[in-house]
Amino acid sequence: MKKPYYILKFSAVQCRFEIKVNDRLILQMNVDNGQVTSQVPINHAIAESGTSEITVSVIPVIGSAQFSKETSFNYDCLLFDVSNGFQLQETYEGYKSPKITDAQPLSTFASTQTLNVNVSYKLNTLWEEGKKLDDIEHIEEKIRAAYLEIGDIILDKKYDVFKQKLSHREQNIATSMYLSAVDSRARLNGLIHDFENGFDILDLAEDAIIVYSANKKIASLRRLTGEPALCFKKKNPWNN
């Protein structure tokens, strides 16, 4: 049986961009110097077969109000069959930004395209039963508290609790990536191995902003650069 696997292949030059699939955040990045060319899987944002929506928003880099003449962004969607290695099945043309000129000093790009997808699974979408998070009082403080709780769980080495907190998310990732139970456990154990090897200082960015997705029923904290707000650092041995 085929295992369809969708990947967005993108290139970005001197811009800040956001990619969402079915209103699920895939990637945010601030490319303020040079060019980034990469690819990112999107199966985890595809709950089932049918029509999927790919949305891209592009704005100037942090500290700028306007694009430079070098600014550009483009992507294509690649379909692979991963039932036996990665075998390219089809390439779907995505989006290519217009050229920046003195006569057209643009300061934003946006693109929304639909794609008919076929996957051999159905993900759980528990968030659809929830309420819109922006309607909740003191939502930023509550999200920050949830992030700090996860961080403390990791620092306290309560890994069984950590696994339980991530169980629904990891189930969807394992399903969408066609991981076996062994591979799924190895993925989580790899994270725990990293935690065990010196990540002992919790850093939650003070200037992080809330990014909503899934009709505002999912929220995450992001740095202005698009990176996750929560990270771990190693102690500097020279300061001991």
Side-chain angles (χ1 to χ4, degrees), residues 3-194:
K3 297 178 178 179
Y5 197 76
Y6 293 86
I7 287 177
L8 292 187
K9 184 177 182 179
F10 68 88
S11 177
V13 180
Q14 294 188 25
C15 64
R16 185 164 29 141
F17 67 89
E18 175 186 86
I19 301 174
K20 287 185 175 181
V21 175
N22 298 322
D23 202 32
R24 296 286 308 279
L25 181 64
I26 299 297
L27 183 65
Q28 285 182 317
M29 188 177 293
N30 182 60
V31 185
D32 59 359
N33 186 22
Q35 176 178 354
V36 170
T37 299
S38 188
Q39 55 189 29
V40 57
I42 63 172
N43 271 36
H44 61 284
I46 300 173
E48 59 185 319
S49 296
T51 301
S52 281
E53 185 175 83
I54 303 172
T55 302
V56 172
S57 299
V58 187
I59 59 177
V61 297
I62 295 173
S64 298
Q66 187 172 304
F67 292 134
S68 74
K69 291 183 180 180
E70 288 74 32
T71 294
S72 67
F73 180 88
N74 64 79
Y75 81 85
D76 291 316
C77 184
L78 311 181
L79 169 60
F80 292 86
D81 175 20
V82 296
S83 57
N84 184 22
F86 273 76
Q87 299 178 4
L88 181 62
Q89 302 294 297
E90 194 164 354
T91 299
Y92 303 96
E93 184 176 351
Y95 169 76
K96 184 175 183 179
S97 64
K99 185 174 179 60
I100 304 297
T101 65
D102 290 334
Q104 194 177 26
L106 300 173
S107 60
T108 183
F109 302 139
S111 168
T112 298
Q113 301 197 31
T114 58
L115 181 68
N116 290 323
V117 300
N118 181 32
V119 292
S120 55
Y121 59 77
K122 185 173 182 178
L123 303 182
N124 70 61
T125 53
L126 297 177
W127 60 86
E128 293 180 352
E129 302 171 8
K131 63 171 63 176
K132 290 188 176 182
L133 297 176
D134 63 336
D135 292 336
I136 298 176
E137 190 175 5
H138 305 303
I139 183 59
E140 182 173 352
E141 291 88 342
K142 291 177 179 179
I143 293 176
R144 282 184 169 273
Y147 269 63
L148 290 173
E149 179 188 4
I150 292 292
D152 288 340
I153 287 170
I154 293 169
L155 292 180
D156 292 339
K157 303 184 186 301
K158 297 178 180 178
Y159 298 132
D160 287 340
V161 179
F162 172 72
K163 290 179 180 180
Q164 191 277 328
K165 292 282 187 182
L166 268 65
S167 59
H168 291 300
R169 175 180 178 273
E170 288 301 310
Q171 177 188 348
N172 274 350
I173 288 177
T175 300
S176 64
M177 294 178 65
Y178 309 105
L179 298 180
S180 67
V182 171
D183 290 337
S184 181
R185 286 194 298 270
R187 170 184 155 82
L188 274 177
N189 289 336
L191 288 175
I192 292 171
H193 177 269
D194 290 339

Side-chain angles (χ1 to χ4, degrees), residues 191-207:
L191 288 175
I192 292 171
H193 177 269
D194 290 339
F195 297 148
E196 283 284 283
N197 282 272
F199 292 99
D200 43 18
I201 301 177
L202 183 65
D203 178 21
L204 182 60
E206 291 295 329
D207 61 349

